[in-house]
Amino acid sequence: MTKKPVIGLLGGGQLGRMLCESAGPLGYQIAILDEENSPAKQANHNDLHVTGSFKDPAKIKLLASRSDVLTVEIEHVDTQVLEEIATVGVDVPDSQGGVTKKKVPVHPDWKTIRLIQDKYEQKEYLGKKGIPIAEQMAIADASADRKASLQEAATKYGFPYMLKGAKGSYDGRGNFKVRSPEDFETAIQQMGDQPLYAERWVPFEMELAVMVVRTEDDAGKLQKVMPYPVVETIHEDSVCTKVFFPPRNVADDMQTRAQKIACDVVSHLWGRGVFAVEMFLLKDGQVIVNEIAPRPHNSGHYTIEAVPQMSQYKAQLCAIMNDFPEDFEVVPRVPSALMVNILGGAKPTSHDELAELSRKLTNRSMDVYLHDYGKQSKPGRKIGHVTAIGYSSISKLVEMAHPLIASADKIRAERVGEAAPTVSASPSPKAAPLVAVTMGSDSDLPVLTAGLKILDQFQVPYEVRITSAHRTPHHMMKFAAEMAQGGVKVIIAAAGGAAHLPGMVASEVHLPVIGVPVKASPLLDRANARGIPCATVGIGNSTNAALLAIRILGTTYPEYAAQMKAYQTKMKDEVLEKDEKLSSDGWQKYLEAKK
Amino acid sequence: MTKKPVIGLLGGGQLGRMLCESAGPLGYQIAILDEENSPAKQANHNDLHVTGSFKDPAKIKLLASRSDVLTVEIEHVDTQVLEEIATVGVDVPDSQGGVTKKKVPVHPDWKTIRLIQDKYEQKEYLGKKGIPIAEQMAIADASADRKASLQEAATKYGFPYMLKGAKGSYDGRGNFKVRSPEDFETAIQQMGDQPLYAERWVPFEMELAVMVVRTEDDAGKLQKVMPYPVVETIHEDSVCTKVFFPPRNVADDMQTRAQKIACDVVSHLWGRGVFAVEMFLLKDGQVIVNEIAPRPHNSGHYTIEAVPQMSQYKAQLCAIMNDFPEDFEVVPRVPSALMVNILGGAKPTSHDELAELSRKLTNRSMDVYLHDYGKQSKPGRKIGHVTAIGYSSISKLVEMAHPLIASADKIRAERVGEAAPTVSASPSPKAAPLVAVTMGSDSDLPVLTAGLKILDQFQVPYEVRITSAHRTPHHMMKFAAEMAQGGVKVIIAAAGGAAHLPGMVASEVHLPVIGVPVKASPLLDRANARGIPCATVGIGNSTNAALLAIRILGTTYPEYAAQMKAYQTKMKDEVLEKDEKLSSDGWQKYLEAKK
């Protein structure tokens, strides 16, 4: 097909590899600067690649001469060269056999990359823009009195506080927790000559991250800053190991706030592309920004499957090429996702079990995807990841995907020499319930039996509970809240005389609730409080309640829609058959036969 | 990571490319035999590849010597060599510096490939196994009296009949429609010396195809034969141009039958892998088998996005490596998909518009994916494809994806020199309705107004119609059937005195139906016929009907669930606010202020 402009990529690691995997089908051409056989080059072969280090200015210029735009998969690059390429240009042959300068745009902007290379400056800048950050102060440089400076920080922030290397602390390397004055010497030795800064200790509840797309027009004017959903990230040994979408037990408005802060951050940067904004959620509900990555990021891998129409990699390509579709909205196509990094273990084969598990766990409610980076295994090295996407809640997904987590934890325990974690028996492979059935008293159970049989017949996974609106109101509310969290799609509630149960449940959850009146009562209106709908079926007709629940499930799950169609066809056929029999036999004989 | 066994692949075209795109993240190693820079080699770089033709026996043996299993992306390969490799082995160096024979298994089996290479023998074989096929007879070979043989076919089948080349008719090349005895000479000339056979003319309604996975244990015992969904394929100029999943207007039982036949076919073949079974659906409802492809196939490209957890390419890898997960069930993750091939046009840039469109059309209800094969454009050449997956019905998807179809049709018209088809104005980009609201008479409209406003407030696309159960029963039933086809997820029906409308609608569709009683009537039971559930809300309470519809949508669309949560929180906050005011102001002042 018609070839697209060439994207020059500094770095050919796993991020570059996944960028290439996304670019291939879309027809984007990528020229990679990295060693032969780097992960990205395994997935993208063409004659534009440059062999060498992405830190080598000459190689960067050679790459630029072959490219229409430059981008990075790692921020530790030479921004002087990038600035020169973008503003002065690189030498390329002209048509007269001479040499001419070609300016090659860099996205994200070299200014952004330069700012982000210095974590202290990065946060000073954001702080000035009104972004919430942890308090920080620069530590005197290695030639001056560092100890006095460390003492000053202690006076300012108390113990413990964090001592951080301002540059080059990729994946959290280069942090030192200062607990007392006795730590000063060790800290100075361990951190070496690098520029340092101190940061007030932030006791966070959870680490959050948001990917943000930033687009600019060709004149460099900011067009769009669009967030992906918030995720929860888990770090162990200063490396990201797991990502949960959505974050577990974080209120929606908190998530919206984190997205807003992430967008604010990115709006203050320069250039096009995707950016990861890593944040801390504090105990008091505050959200503060910890770090930015001006590129696709580990915390955004889940988008490959959860936002397949626009993964972070596709977004990166579209954004830097100024190809981002105008009206696009980020709508995840599944309600939950979980990413587990595969870090090389003690043995070269430590991770084989995890890779093997990824092949087997896919079921009706969860898809599991392996991403092998084509790297040799080394202890602690990121050599792949596994993403599970769930068709119900994150808590159910975590339950179903538990063997992946347990396996990753085992690899780590073995590597760091800890006792292997007691892996709880993997949860039974029974499907997560899709329908919850509840009643105020077991005396209502007979009324519900017919409906439960229908659910069995349609192979719908369900849960049955007794929760009385009057005798156990808290239990009932807790049940309702759990259902809303837990992946259940429809609730069926038997409604006794006062019909409070379905109405109350409906007020607690956002799910469709079907009330089955146990006996005649003006239930219609009683169960349907203002703004709190409750679907009601015939008196005692739990069959219809179950069938309605299945119709509702059919809007999400094609297999239930198909079963429902078959069920209805069967009912029709039965009537037609009877009709035929009646018309051929005559009503007298028909009635006779029925006796 | 730990390297997996090496799969040797004969052929590096687009099928090989997509196989490699699937293999990369899964860590499967593929050694490709084809020319340098073939589509597959662009997406997979390693030092195992062999440069040359997949028809060259020496190169095939070299490939085999580097591989643990061999497979094909095209069936026109030398099966003598494959047989030798599988049964006698290829020379490989042994540890003593000598040479030893290594047997390399071939999947699918070379016997299957050999059988399929001869279309006549293929169908003779299937016919003997009881598979429905079109009647056929061999035509005398080129040295004998072909004309007499053609006449014999005419006597047997009448005119027109099909004359087909038994071998090498990839993508339908090598067919001749014999209309009368005058055609005999031309047919003999055009078809040349190749082996021919005649086939009874089959006036089909539609072409169907089913991908089937076949697994065997290591002893060669058949384990599993598992079908993907049925698709409708469109051929133009004897090349597949479009694929629809599910086929349009084909009853479910017909689809089940086609899947059954496809599985029967594949159970009679040998070896592991995926197979495409192409069929004709005849006017009388018969399904007959037309052709088999022992490999991933154009009609299965849609699985990349519609069955992402196990695309035909992943299935091919898992099957041939005996890695297929035991309990896996093929469950498409979306209800509809549409594939449009990009065939090179009259100009090298003819297809640019189509590729560009693929970037722009993704919306809330449809994802569009481009697959560029990295090939140079030539008129009629398959250089890519676009898949749209729909979150509602195939008819709605076709409507939304219409610009893609129109663009592909334009490329073809330009290429074959026909007048450009009158491209109907692309449908307005308004979202497909998710809720249908209906009433028996416009006098019910005021009751429904509050609900319609709620739908507006939640930005739910809906459609409002008047259909009376008594005055326009056929119109009502037609409306209901259309809704069921058209992507609507929930129906709200106002129920007048007799409450027939919601009940009747519910009997026609498999969707959840919500009845709004217009005035008091024992609606609960009347609308809830046996086995036909109808969700009922409070009398005249269309607000709750709409809110219930939105809760149901929330089970599929996270954004509606989020809006519903926000709505409920707002309601709670309002009550809490009032309570606070009441308790601080006292009830007298509160009541005063309310006046």
Side-chain angles (χ1 to χ4, degrees):
Chain A
M1 289 177 50
T2 312
K3 291 203 165 179
K4 296 208 177 193
V6 176
I7 300 171
L9 173 65
L10 278 70
Q14 68 265 23
L15 299 174
R17 180 183 172 108
M18 289 183 270
L19 194 72
C20 288
E21 285 170 350
S22 181
L26 296 171
Y28 288 107
Q29 296 191 86
I30 299 188
I32 302 161
L33 167 54
D34 208 332
E35 300 307 328
E36 280 301 341
N37 207 33
S38 59
K41 287 187 179 177
Q42 295 169 27
N44 176 4
H45 184 51
N46 64 55
D47 48 15
L48 297 164
H49 296 331
V50 178
T51 303
S53 163
F54 52 79
K55 304 203 173 193
D56 179 341
K59 299 284 184 172
I60 298 175
K61 285 182 183 175
L62 177 58
L63 181 76
S65 72
R66 298 178 180 180
S67 304
D68 299 292
V69 56
L70 285 187
T71 191
V72 301
E73 61 129 40
I74 182 162
E75 54 273 27
H76 305 294
V77 292
D78 183 339
T79 59
Q80 300 301 332
V81 184
L82 293 180
E83 179 178 1
E84 185 190 330
I85 289 168
T87 57
V88 182
V90 283
D91 291 339
V92 289
D94 66 14
S95 52
Q96 279 84 45
V99 158
T100 182
K101 288 280 184 195
K102 175 177 88 162
K103 289 185 194 174
V104 182
V106 178
H107 288 293
D109 200 287
W110 54 269
K111 288 199 295 276
T112 297
I113 302 172
R114 189 174 293 166
L115 177 68
I116 281 170
Q117 285 178 345
D118 191 313
K119 289 175 64 177
Y120 176 75
E121 289 301 336
Q122 178 194 133
K123 275 192 285 189
E124 284 296 295
Y125 174 78
L126 295 178
K128 276 177 203 141
K129 295 291 181 186
I131 305 292
I133 52 160
E135 280 179 76
Q136 59 176 10
M137 65 168 269
I139 295 295
D141 69 33
S143 62
D145 188 352
R146 281 207 147 165
K147 214 167 177 175
S149 197
L150 291 181
Q151 180 52 54
E152 194 191 332
T155 314
K156 228 167 161 175
Y157 306 136
F159 290 109
Y161 66 84
M162 284 303 278
L163 187 63
K164 294 186 170 180
K167 292 181 181 179
S169 57
Y170 183 61
D171 266 342
R173 285 190 292 273
N175 290 352
F176 192 104
K177 186 175 178 181
V178 184
R179 290 157 210 267
S180 75
E182 283 84 71
D183 283 347
F184 290 169
E185 276 303 337
T186 329
I188 289 170
Q189 274 177 24
Q190 274 197 19
M191 300 298 272
D193 286 350
Q194 63 176 321
L196 298 175
Y197 67 103
E199 201 180 78
R200 183 187 285 281
W201 182 255
V202 183
F204 59 83
E205 279 282 275
M206 191 183 270
E207 293 186 77
L208 302 176
V210 174
M211 293 302 309
V212 178
V213 189
R214 187 181 202 282
T215 61
E216 281 182 352
D217 65 17
D218 284 324
K221 190 165 160 274
L222 177 63
Q223 284 187 311
K224 196 186 295 201
V225 169
M226 181 182 274
Y228 280 79
V230 186
V231 296
E232 170 189 353
T233 59
I234 307 285
H235 289 78
E236 290 164 294
D237 320 315
S238 299
V239 174
C240 173
T241 57
K242 296 171 196 99
V243 171
F244 298 88
F245 155 68
R248 291 168 298 175
N249 305 314
V250 173
D252 289 353
D253 61 337
M254 198 85 87
Q255 294 186 41
T256 308
R257 195 138 45 84
Q259 285 181 307
K260 168 86 177 51
I261 291 172
C263 285
D264 279 356
V265 166
V266 174
S267 70
H268 293 302
L269 301 175
W270 309 273
R272 302 175 188 146
V274 295
F275 298 76
V277 180
E278 295 188 273
M279 289 166 280
F280 294 130
L281 173 59
L282 309 189
K283 283 198 204 316
D284 62 2
Q286 251 196 93
V287 173
I288 66 172
V289 171
N290 178 37
E291 208 169 324
I292 303 161
R295 51 169 171 83
H297 188 255
N298 203 160
S299 67
H301 290 350
Y302 80 102
T303 61
I304 298 174
E305 287 89 9
V307 194
Q309 76 276 33
M310 187 59 79
S311 71
Q312 65 169 344
Y313 298 101
K314 184 173 175 188
Q316 174 77 341
L317 295 165
C318 289
I320 61 182
M321 297 310 296
N322 202 14
D323 260 356
F324 203 82
E326 246 177 68
D327 304 323
F328 184 80
E329 291 171 82
V330 176
V331 180
R333 291 309 193 184
V334 284
S336 60
L338 159 66
M339 193 243 29
V340 177
N341 273 338
I342 306 181
L343 301 177
K347 289 173 293 184
T349 55
S350 300
H351 55 272
D352 286 0
E353 182 198 71
L354 179 48
E356 179 70 10
L357 269 173
S358 73
R359 272 203 318 107
K360 289 181 179 169
L361 288 178
T362 290
N363 64 28
R364 184 176 270 195
S365 313
M366 167 175 80
D367 297 341
V368 182
Y369 295 89
L370 172 67
H371 292 265
D372 183 327
Y373 301 156
K375 285 174 167 182
Q376 242 191 322
S377 180
K378 287 183 190 171
R381 189 184 207 189
K382 286 181 182 170
I383 55 173
H385 77 264
V386 179
T387 298
I389 55 172
Y391 295 87
S392 63
S393 70
I394 182 67
S395 56
K396 282 292 156 190
L397 178 63
V398 170
E399 196 183 309
M400 289 187 292
H402 181 260
L404 296 174
I405 297 175
S407 181
D409 288 348
K410 203 173 100 189
I411 299 170
R412 178 178 171 271
E414 210 181 281
R415 189 184 68 238
V416 301
E418 283 175 11
T422 319
V423 176
S424 59
S426 64
S428 66
K430 78 170 179 176
L434 292 173
V435 175
V437 181
T438 183
M439 66 207 92
S441 147
D442 59 4
S443 65
D444 298 335
L445 189 53
V447 171
L448 289 171
T449 311
L452 296 174
K453 284 185 183 161
I454 289 279
L455 294 179
D456 285 335
Q457 186 184 329
F458 280 78
Q459 292 183 295
V460 175
Y462 62 88
E463 197 169 325
V464 191
R465 301 285 290 274
I466 299 174
T467 57
S468 165
H470 304 107
R471 286 170 296 260
T472 58
H474 293 292
H475 178 53
M476 185 200 71
M477 292 314 241
K478 191 164 158 277
F479 159 78
E482 274 174 21
M483 292 301 105
Q485 286 278 331
V488 158
K489 300 279 184 186
V490 188
I491 298 176
I492 296 176
H500 285 174
L501 181 59
M504 292 298 284
V505 168
S507 80
E508 186 63 24
V509 302
H510 65 280
L511 300 171
V513 175
I514 305 171
V516 184
V518 171
K519 44 185 176 265
S521 75
L523 173 77
L524 273 178
D525 290 317
R526 282 216 202 146
N528 268 276
R530 186 175 147 261
I532 307 289
C534 174
T536 326
V537 290
I539 294 160
N541 196 343
S542 69
T543 301
N544 274 11
L547 290 170
L548 179 59
I550 292 158
R551 285 182 184 225
I552 292 171
L553 293 178
T555 64
T556 308
Y557 304 100
E559 63 269 28
Y560 290 121
Q563 277 193 70
M564 180 53 70
K565 284 181 204 165
Y567 179 84
Q568 289 177 269
T569 306
K570 193 163 157 267
M571 282 202 301
K572 276 181 199 162
D573 289 348
E574 279 169 10
V575 173
L576 293 176
E577 219 171 85
K578 285 180 184 171
D579 178 46
E580 202 185 299
K581 201 170 150 51
L582 177 60
S583 89
S584 67
D585 291 0
W587 67 268
Q588 296 90 341
K589 197 176 157 196
Y590 186 93
L591 217 54
E592 201 64 34
K594 257 203 111 171
K595 272 181 190 166
Chain B
M1 290 177 46
T2 312
K3 291 204 167 176
K4 296 208 177 194
V6 176
I7 300 170
L9 173 65
L10 277 70
Q14 67 266 23
L15 299 173
R17 181 183 173 107
M18 288 182 270
L19 194 72
C20 289
E21 286 169 352
S22 181
L26 296 172
Y28 288 106
Q29 295 191 86
I30 298 188
I32 302 161
L33 166 55
D34 208 334
E35 300 307 327
E36 280 301 341
N37 209 33
S38 58
K41 287 188 177 176
Q42 295 169 26
N44 176 5
H45 185 51
N46 64 56
D47 47 17
L48 298 165
H49 295 330
V50 178
T51 304
S53 162
F54 51 79
K55 304 203 174 197
D56 179 341
K59 300 284 184 173
I60 297 175
K61 286 182 183 176
L62 178 59
L63 181 76
S65 71
R66 298 177 179 180
S67 305
D68 299 292
V69 57
L70 285 187
T71 192
V72 301
E73 61 128 38
I74 182 162
E75 55 273 28
H76 304 295
V77 291
D78 183 338
T79 58
Q80 299 302 333
V81 184
L82 294 181
E83 179 179 358
E84 185 190 329
I85 290 168
T87 57
V88 183
V90 281
D91 292 339
V92 289
D94 66 14
S95 53
Q96 279 84 44
V99 158
T100 183
K101 287 280 181 194
K102 176 177 86 163
K103 288 184 195 175
V104 183
V106 177
H107 287 293
D109 200 287
W110 53 268
K111 287 200 296 276
T112 297
I113 302 173
R114 191 174 293 166
L115 178 67
I116 281 170
Q117 285 178 343
D118 190 313
K119 289 174 65 176
Y120 176 73
E121 289 301 337
Q122 179 194 133
K123 274 192 285 186
E124 283 296 295
Y125 174 77
L126 295 177
K128 274 178 206 142
K129 295 290 181 188
I131 306 293
I133 52 160
E135 280 178 75
Q136 59 177 10
M137 63 168 270
I139 295 295
D141 70 32
S143 62
D145 188 352
R146 281 205 148 164
K147 214 166 178 179
S149 198
L150 292 181
Q151 179 51 53
E152 194 191 330
T155 312
K156 227 165 159 175
Y157 306 135
F159 290 108
Y161 67 83
M162 282 304 277
L163 188 62
K164 293 186 171 181
K167 291 180 182 180
S169 56
Y170 185 62
D171 267 343
R173 282 192 294 271
N175 291 350
F176 192 103
K177 186 176 178 181
V178 184
R179 290 158 211 267
S180 72
E182 282 86 71
D183 283 348
F184 290 168
E185 274 304 333
T186 330
I188 289 169
Q189 273 177 26
Q190 274 197 20
M191 300 297 271
D193 286 350
Q194 62 176 321
L196 298 176
Y197 67 103
E199 202 179 78
R200 184 186 286 282
W201 181 256
V202 183
F204 60 82
E205 277 282 274
M206 188 182 273
E207 292 186 76
L208 302 176
V210 175
M211 294 302 307
V212 177
V213 190
R214 188 182 201 282
T215 61
E216 280 182 354
D217 64 17
D218 283 326
K221 191 168 160 271
L222 176 62
Q223 286 187 310
K224 198 186 292 202
V225 168
M226 181 183 273
Y228 280 80
V230 187
V231 296
E232 170 189 352
T233 59
I234 306 286
H235 289 78
E236 290 163 296
D237 320 315
S238 300
V239 173
C240 172
T241 57
K242 296 171 197 100
V243 171
F244 299 87
F245 155 68
R248 292 168 296 177
N249 305 314
V250 173
D252 289 352
D253 60 337
M254 199 85 88
Q255 294 186 40
T256 309
R257 195 137 47 84
Q259 285 181 307
K260 169 84 176 55
I261 291 172
C263 285
D264 278 355
V265 166
V266 174
S267 71
H268 293 303
L269 302 175
W270 309 272
R272 302 175 188 146
V274 295
F275 298 76
V277 180
E278 296 188 273
M279 289 166 280
F280 294 130
L281 172 59
L282 309 190
K283 283 197 205 312
D284 62 3
Q286 251 198 91
V287 172
I288 64 172
V289 171
N290 178 37
E291 211 169 323
I292 304 162
R295 50 167 172 82
H297 187 256
N298 203 158
S299 67
H301 291 351
Y302 80 101
T303 60
I304 298 174
E305 288 89 9
V307 194
Q309 77 275 34
M310 187 59 77
S311 72
Q312 65 168 346
Y313 297 102
K314 184 173 174 191
Q316 173 77 342
L317 296 165
C318 289
I320 61 180
M321 297 310 296
N322 202 13
D323 260 356
F324 203 83
E326 247 177 67
D327 304 324
F328 184 79
E329 291 171 83
V330 176
V331 180
R333 291 309 193 185
V334 284
S336 59
L338 159 67
M339 194 248 19
V340 178
N341 273 337
I342 306 182
L343 301 177
K347 290 173 290 182
T349 55
S350 300
H351 55 271
D352 286 1
E353 181 198 73
L354 180 49
E356 179 70 10
L357 269 173
S358 72
R359 274 205 315 105
K360 290 182 178 166
L361 287 179
T362 290
N363 64 28
R364 183 176 270 195
S365 314
M366 167 175 81
D367 296 342
V368 182
Y369 295 89
L370 173 65
H371 292 265
D372 184 327
Y373 301 154
K375 286 176 167 180
Q376 240 189 326
S377 179
K378 287 184 191 170
R381 190 184 206 189
K382 286 180 180 170
I383 56 174
H385 77 264
V386 179
T387 298
I389 55 173
Y391 294 87
S392 63
S393 69
I394 182 67
S395 56
K396 280 293 156 191
L397 178 63
V398 170
E399 196 181 311
M400 287 187 293
H402 182 258
L404 296 173
I405 296 176
S407 181
D409 289 347
K410 202 172 103 190
I411 297 170
R412 177 178 171 271
E414 210 179 283
R415 188 184 67 238
V416 302
E418 284 174 9
T422 319
V423 176
S424 59
S426 65
S428 66
K430 77 168 180 183
L434 292 173
V435 175
V437 181
T438 183
M439 65 207 91
S441 147
D442 58 4
S443 65
D444 299 335
L445 190 53
V447 171
L448 290 172
T449 311
L452 296 174
K453 282 183 184 162
I454 290 279
L455 294 179
D456 284 336
Q457 187 184 328
F458 280 77
Q459 293 184 297
V460 174
Y462 62 87
E463 197 168 326
V464 192
R465 303 283 288 276
I466 299 174
T467 56
S468 165
H470 303 108
R471 286 171 295 264
T472 58
H474 292 291
H475 178 53
M476 185 200 72
M477 292 313 243
K478 190 164 161 274
F479 159 78
E482 274 173 22
M483 291 301 105
Q485 285 279 327
V488 157
K489 301 277 186 187
V490 189
I491 299 176
I492 296 176
H500 284 175
L501 181 59
M504 293 296 284
V505 168
S507 79
E508 185 64 24
V509 302
H510 64 282
L511 300 170
V513 176
I514 305 172
V516 184
V518 171
K519 43 185 178 269
S521 73
L523 175 75
L524 272 177
D525 290 316
R526 282 219 202 144
N528 268 275
R530 183 172 151 263
I532 306 289
C534 174
T536 326
V537 291
I539 294 161
N541 195 343
S542 68
T543 300
N544 275 11
L547 290 170
L548 178 59
I550 292 157
R551 286 182 184 225
I552 293 173
L553 293 178
T555 65
T556 308
Y557 304 100
E559 63 268 30
Y560 291 122
Q563 275 193 74
M564 179 54 68
K565 285 181 201 163
Y567 178 84
Q568 288 177 268
T569 307
K570 194 164 157 264
M571 281 202 304
K572 277 179 198 161
D573 289 349
E574 280 169 11
V575 173
L576 294 176
E577 217 171 86
K578 285 180 183 170
D579 177 47
E580 200 185 302
K581 200 168 152 54
L582 178 60
S583 88
S584 69
D585 290 1
W587 69 267
Q588 296 88 344
K589 197 174 158 200
Y590 186 93
L591 217 54
E592 201 65 36
K594 258 205 106 169
K595 272 178 192 170

